[in-house]
């Protein structure tokens, strides 16, 4: 079967700089390993559906501001779309397309019965009052309501969104459709049908695969030096778990700056202080301030990028000292940086595996909502550990059989599951 495309839309181009171009390049590395499925790859090289919406919001001062927002359904061959909603000033369509595509691969790699989706609003949520944030969220939900639903596409938190945002989304969707279905979003507060353990799940998953990777590398966790970029939902939990297990978190970076402490930072104290979102890291007593560039060069064993995509590039990859990189963020490493790490023997546990704990517990939340039967936190954490360990073992084994990176092995597992489903369904 041969495939031709009716148009070469520029936003679908492999040559495009940024996350979408990076995703397509990552796919290119998998194609030679799946020759039988090659004709179906074209379906992964474009999203199934992309929605751009205008979100007008009445601000507290009486003015109206229009925000551009998106919801992208990348692939639904294996089930309803699943993926977070991002509130960040740099959100744009190709970024949301890439984030949705990474969700397709991640969900399939973990064998969750979901396709991939993602949404976003181009806004700095830190500049909004509580009321403005609520009005923005409700209007965004109304605008994307034709696309989302517990059996079509299920949003969750991502950068700049949280449990409260999910509560407003669930409520707005319910009021608009007349359906009292909490399962339209995951990452909700427990009082609204959220799952115990969901908030910590992504960071916990990063920690779990970190332990497994350290064992493979014959590195010890106690005393290991860790650097973490991003102290939000993902980075803060990962930093705390590594620190509690005896590792030394020597450097952290967030949007306010970066700090370093040779003896290790007091993570509990740091996170307590960070509860005030506007508090800068810069003036923390007993720590040394780092530039953004110097952060990547810190002497450490484990590096955890847990903020935004495109952070590790051909410009800084050769200066990274860590032996192990755990991708808490989605898309933090460009394909060029991947090559440098591969050459230098730095092990990268890719996003589609390392940060899959969040969507795994989102899946548990969705299952609990459908069954209206709720699990204990211990049950959630045990099942999360099992899922992550199984996926890690499968990816590790395939990478060694094929002599490829963990990313390419994870994509091989994920893409073959999606493309077999596509083939069985037909066009
Ligand atoms: P968050 O909004 O809770 O935190 C984001 C953190 O990144 C903050 O500490 C912020 O200060 C920092 N940050 C933002 N811009 C930065 C910059 N330019 N330089 C340095 N730091 C910066 O977001 P999150 O939910 O923790 O998500 C972080 C990453 O993890 C994203 O890539 C997201 O897609 C990915 N992820 C999140 C989840 C989840 O469950 N929340 C699941 C899987 C993957």
């Amino acid at each position: 079967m041969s495939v031709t495309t009716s148009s070469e839309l520029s936003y679908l181009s492999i040559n495009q700089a940024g996350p979408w171009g990076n995703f397509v390049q990552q796919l290119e590395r998998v194609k030679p390993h799946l020759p039988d499925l090659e004709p179906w790859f074209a379906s992964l090289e474009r999203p199934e559906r992309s929605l751009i919406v205008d979100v007008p919001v009445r601000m507290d001062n009486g003015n109206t501001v229009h925000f551009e927002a998106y919801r992208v359904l990348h692939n639904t061959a294996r089930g309803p779309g699943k993926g977070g909603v991002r509130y960040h000033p740099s959100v744009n369509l190709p970024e949301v397309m890439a984030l949705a595509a990474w969700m397709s691969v991640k969900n399939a790699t973990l064998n969750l019965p979901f396709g991939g989706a993602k949404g976003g609003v181009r806004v700095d949520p830190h500049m909004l009052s509580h009321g403005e944030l609520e009005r923005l969220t409700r209007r965004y939900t109304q605008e994307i309501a034709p696309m989302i639903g517990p059996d079509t596409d299920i949003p969750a938190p991502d950068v700049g969104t949280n449990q409260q945002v999910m509560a407003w989304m669930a409520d707005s969707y319910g009021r608009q459709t007349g359906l009292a279905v909490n399962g339209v979003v995951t990452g909700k507060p427990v009082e609204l049908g959220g799952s115990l353990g969901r908030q910590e799940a992504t960071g916990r998953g990063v920690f779990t695969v970190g332990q497994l990777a350290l064992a493979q590398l014959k590195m010890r966790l106690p005393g290991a030096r860790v650097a973490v970029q991003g102290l939000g939902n993902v980075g803060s939990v990962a930093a705390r778990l590594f620190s509690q297990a005896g590792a030394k978190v020597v450097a952290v970076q967030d949007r306010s700056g970066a700090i370093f402490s040779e003896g290790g930072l007091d993570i509990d104290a740091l996170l307590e202080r960070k509860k005030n979102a506007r508090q800068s890291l810069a003036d923390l007593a007993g720590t040394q301030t780092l530039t953004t560039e110097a952060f990547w060069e810190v002497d450490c064993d484990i590096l955890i990028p847990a903020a935004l995509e495109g952070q590790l590039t051909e410009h800084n990859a050769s200066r990274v000292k860590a032996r192990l990189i755990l991708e808490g963020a989605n898309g933090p490493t460009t394909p060029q940086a991947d090559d440098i790490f591969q050459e230098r023997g730095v092990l990268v546990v890719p996003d589609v595996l390392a940060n899959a704990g969040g969507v795994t517990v989102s899946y548990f939340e969705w299952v609990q909502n459908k069954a209206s039967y709720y699990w204990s936190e211990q049950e959630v954490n045990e099942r999360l550990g099992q899922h992550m360990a199984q996926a890690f073992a499968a990816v590790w084994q395939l990478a060694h059989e094929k002599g490829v990176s963990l990313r390419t092995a994870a994509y091989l597992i994920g893409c073959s599951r999606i493309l077999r489903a596509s083939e069985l369904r037909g066009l």
Side-chain angles (χ1 to χ4, degrees):
M1 184 176 85
S2 75
V3 178
T4 52
T5 56
S6 61
S7 62
E8 277 311 322
L9 295 176
S10 60
Y11 73 87
L12 295 176
S13 168
I14 187 172
N15 296 321
Q16 189 192 110
W20 179 256
N22 290 343
F23 167 70
V24 181
Q25 286 183 51
Q26 288 163 348
L27 275 188
E28 286 298 318
R29 295 172 176 207
V30 186
K31 272 187 196 171
H33 298 278
L34 296 174
D36 294 354
L37 293 169
E38 182 154 4
W40 293 97
F41 266 92
S43 62
L44 294 179
E45 288 162 2
R46 61 210 70 233
E48 282 179 16
R49 187 174 296 179
S50 305
L51 182 65
I52 306 177
V53 295
D54 172 40
V55 180
V57 179
R58 183 87 66 217
M59 307 304 276
D60 292 347
N61 64 7
N63 292 341
T64 301
V65 177
H66 291 255
F67 297 94
E68 190 168 309
Y70 315 89
R71 186 73 192 170
V72 172
L73 204 49
H74 174 256
N75 190 285
T76 54
R78 299 184 69 257
K82 183 91 194 78
V85 173
R86 178 172 292 193
Y87 288 179
H88 193 273
S90 68
V91 163
N92 57 55
L93 181 60
E95 180 191 51
V96 180
M97 282 162 46
L99 291 166
W102 284 322
M103 289 309 298
S104 298
V105 178
K106 186 186 307 178
N107 291 334
T109 303
L110 269 284
N111 214 1
L112 306 177
F114 292 128
K118 204 84 177 192
V121 182
R122 194 186 302 157
V123 61
D124 184 349
H126 301 102
M127 303 302 286
L128 301 187
S129 69
H130 191 76
E132 288 166 343
L133 194 64
E134 176 174 354
R135 293 195 289 280
L136 173 95
T137 301
R138 289 189 182 279
R139 183 61 187 255
Y140 171 63
T141 309
Q142 280 175 14
E143 296 299 333
I144 65 166
M147 247 170 98
I148 62 173
D151 296 313
T152 49
D153 175 8
I154 307 121
D158 190 74
V159 175
T161 58
N162 55 22
Q163 289 192 346
Q164 175 61 75
V165 171
M166 293 305 115
W168 289 325
M169 286 191 79
D171 185 68
S172 305
Y173 180 82
R175 285 178 194 282
Q176 192 166 345
T177 59
L179 303 169
V181 281
N182 286 336
V184 63
V185 291
T186 58
K188 299 176 292 289
V190 171
E191 295 84 343
L192 296 185
S195 177
L196 294 168
R198 170 60 184 91
Q199 203 159 357
E200 302 79 29
T202 312
R204 187 175 291 283
V206 171
F207 177 65
T208 302
V209 296
Q211 286 175 299
L212 296 167
L214 285 169
Q216 292 291 349
L217 294 174
K218 306 213 178 338
M219 287 167 68
R220 275 174 50 76
L221 203 167
R225 294 163 66 87
V226 183
V228 185
Q229 185 199 36
L231 283 178
N233 182 278
V234 181
S236 63
V237 174
R240 206 183 59 236
L241 292 175
F242 272 102
S243 165
Q244 284 170 354
K248 256 201 288 188
V249 180
V250 291
V252 294
Q253 187 193 16
D254 73 358
R255 59 203 285 276
S256 71
I259 53 170
F260 171 79
S261 167
E262 180 59 39
L265 297 157
D266 180 344
I267 293 300
D268 286 338
L270 186 66
L271 295 179
E272 188 54 39
R273 181 188 154 97
K274 285 289 295 176
K275 279 189 180 158
N276 175 357
R278 283 167 210 267
Q279 190 105 43
S280 164
L281 286 177
D283 49 346
L284 195 67
T287 67
Q288 185 187 328
T289 304
L290 294 177
T291 63
T292 307
E293 273 312 298
F295 170 80
W296 300 112
E297 299 170 17
V298 156
D299 182 13
C300 65
D301 304 299
I302 306 170
L303 177 60
I304 307 178
L308 299 175
E309 57 274 3
Q311 299 297 298
L312 292 162
T313 67
E314 73 265 39
H315 303 298
N316 57 15
S318 53
R319 298 198 301 274
V320 165
K321 305 258 188 335
R323 278 184 65 199
L324 174 62
I325 297 175
L326 303 171
E327 293 189 337
N330 286 305
T333 310
T334 64
Q336 294 71 30
D338 258 340
D339 291 342
I340 296 170
F341 290 134
Q342 183 101 350
E343 270 167 36
R344 294 184 51 219
V346 176
L347 183 69
V348 180
V349 184
D351 46 9
V352 294
L353 175 61
N355 72 34
V359 72
T360 300
V361 176
S362 273
Y363 165 54
F364 298 162
E365 181 173 330
W366 182 76
V367 168
Q368 292 172 76
N369 291 157
K370 282 206 171 277
S372 290
Y373 179 77
Y374 290 86
W375 310 351
S376 70
E377 189 163 357
Q378 189 186 347
E379 230 171 325
V380 169
N381 288 343
E382 279 173 12
R383 290 185 196 211
L384 170 64
Q386 284 163 9
H387 265 67
M388 298 300 291
Q390 267 171 15
F392 183 88
V395 170
W396 186 269
Q397 191 183 335
L398 190 65
H400 285 80
E401 273 169 27
K402 300 259 178 203
V404 295
S405 68
L406 295 185
R407 188 183 318 280
T408 298
Y411 271 55
L412 262 163
I413 293 172
C415 292
S416 57
R417 285 184 178 143
I418 299 170
L419 299 178
R420 288 258 178 255
S422 302
E423 191 179 42
L424 286 165
R425 284 173 179 277
L427 293 179

